[in-house]
């Protein structure tokens, strides 16, 4: 059955991308054609012409590259599309600041890690992605036995990060998670002490 062989989901996608370095001093324009997640052909303003990644893409690139009008138009987009739109999007992509929310929680013990558990610092919903998180015991920084996830995008132009202190907390000591971020005028700290009724 020919119809059954041809049934399925087929996705054709075009992506238009602009990359900016130091404002509009250095701008790169990319146009990508993708079929079922496979790159077919791409225009890169740094290269100046189309490049194919499949036999069909190579044939298409050769055809488009031989068209002077198409090449003049495509090369102009680094200015008419990217630089032209930069001022409109600049406040959102370069000046946007969202401060993180920070909390400390006690991760319950497990069979492999008995005892009172481990402290987890959750740093949520911040932008941009660059951030520094440090653990302290009193005034002493705890640089060892600290494990962090990668900075994870939330999908809404904010990010999150989890930082675990692997050494179990001790009674009578204060632990602090300190966060530095461009949105904060000064480092933000959250403190934690073992409650009196915690398991000994």
């Amino acid at each position: 059955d020919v119809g059954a062989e041809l049934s399925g989901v087929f996705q054709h996608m075009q992506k238009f991308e602009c990359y900016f370095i130091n404002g509009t001093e250095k701008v790169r324009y990319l146009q990508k054609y993708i079929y079922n997640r496979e790159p077919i052909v791409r225009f890169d303003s740094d290269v100046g012409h189309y490049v194919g990644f499949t036999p069909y893409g190579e044939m298409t690139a050769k055809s488009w590259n031989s068209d002077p009008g198409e090449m003049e138009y495509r090369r102009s987009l680094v200015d008419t599309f990217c630089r032209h739109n930069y001022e409109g999007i600049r406040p959102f992509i370069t000046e946007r600041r969202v401060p993180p929310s920070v909390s400390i929680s006690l991760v319950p013990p497990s069979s492999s890690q008995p005892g009172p558990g481990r402290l987890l610092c959750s740093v949520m919903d911040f932008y941009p992605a660059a951030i520094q998180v440090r653990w302290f015991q009193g005034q002493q920084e705890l640089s060892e036995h600290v494990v962090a996830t990668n900075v994870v995008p939330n999908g809404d132009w904010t990010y999150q990060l989890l930082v675990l202190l692997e050494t179990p907390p001790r009674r009578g000591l204060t632990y602090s998670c300190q966060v530095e971020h461009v949105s904060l005028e000064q480092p933000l700290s959250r403190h934690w002490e073992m409650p009196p009724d915690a398991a000994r």
Side-chain angles (χ1 to χ4, degrees):
D1 185 347
V2 175
E5 292 177 1
L6 296 178
S7 65
V9 177
F10 304 94
Q11 181 189 60
H12 178 259
M13 180 187 299
Q14 282 190 67
K15 294 182 70 177
F16 304 87
E17 302 174 359
C18 296
Y19 295 87
F20 302 95
I21 298 175
N22 194 23
T24 57
E25 182 177 316
K26 170 65 176 172
V27 182
R28 182 185 182 195
Y29 167 76
L30 290 176
Q31 182 171 347
K32 302 175 181 178
Y33 294 83
I34 302 162
Y35 181 71
N36 283 355
R37 299 185 180 181
E38 182 181 12
I40 303 298
V41 63
R42 179 178 75 187
F43 178 86
D44 183 341
S45 63
D46 283 359
V47 176
H49 58 260
Y50 287 96
V51 175
F53 298 96
T54 65
Y56 173 74
E58 291 175 356
M59 180 179 65
T60 303
K62 183 178 180 180
S63 173
W64 288 346
N65 288 336
S66 65
D67 182 340
E70 166 64 20
M71 297 311 297
E72 181 182 1
Y73 170 71
R74 201 60 54 191
R75 290 166 180 159
S76 73
L77 289 175
V78 71
D79 292 315
T80 60
F81 178 65
C82 294
R83 283 191 170 93
H84 174 75
N85 287 304
Y86 179 77
E87 286 305 316
I89 62 176
R90 180 172 57 87
F92 187 72
I93 62 174
T94 65
E95 299 174 5
R96 183 169 179 260
R97 303 283 186 266
V98 180
S101 62
V102 182
S103 62
I104 297 176
S105 57
L106 184 65
V107 178
S110 63
S111 57
S112 61
Q113 291 184 323
R118 304 294 184 270
L119 292 177
L120 180 69
C121 184
S122 301
V123 186
M124 311 299 288
D125 305 326
F126 55 89
Y127 185 91
I131 198 164
Q132 183 179 47
V133 180
R134 297 188 291 174
W135 273 107
F136 288 85
Q137 178 182 290
Q139 300 298 316
Q140 180 182 355
E141 182 177 356
L142 303 172
S143 56
E144 297 182 356
H145 308 293
V146 173
V147 178
T149 64
N150 292 325
V151 174
V152 178
N154 290 323
D156 61 356
W157 286 77
T158 65
Y159 297 87
Q160 62 173 285
L161 173 66
L162 304 177
V163 184
L164 180 72
L165 182 60
E166 287 194 308
T167 53
R170 292 158 51 192
R171 189 176 302 280
L173 297 176
T174 299
Y175 295 86
S176 304
C177 176
Q178 179 179 286
V179 177
E180 296 181 45
H181 188 254
V182 68
S183 66
L184 302 169
E185 293 184 2
Q186 57 189 21
L188 174 63
S189 293
R190 292 288 181 264
H191 308 287
W192 187 92
E193 293 183 10
M194 188 177 294
D197 58 349
R200 294 181 180 272

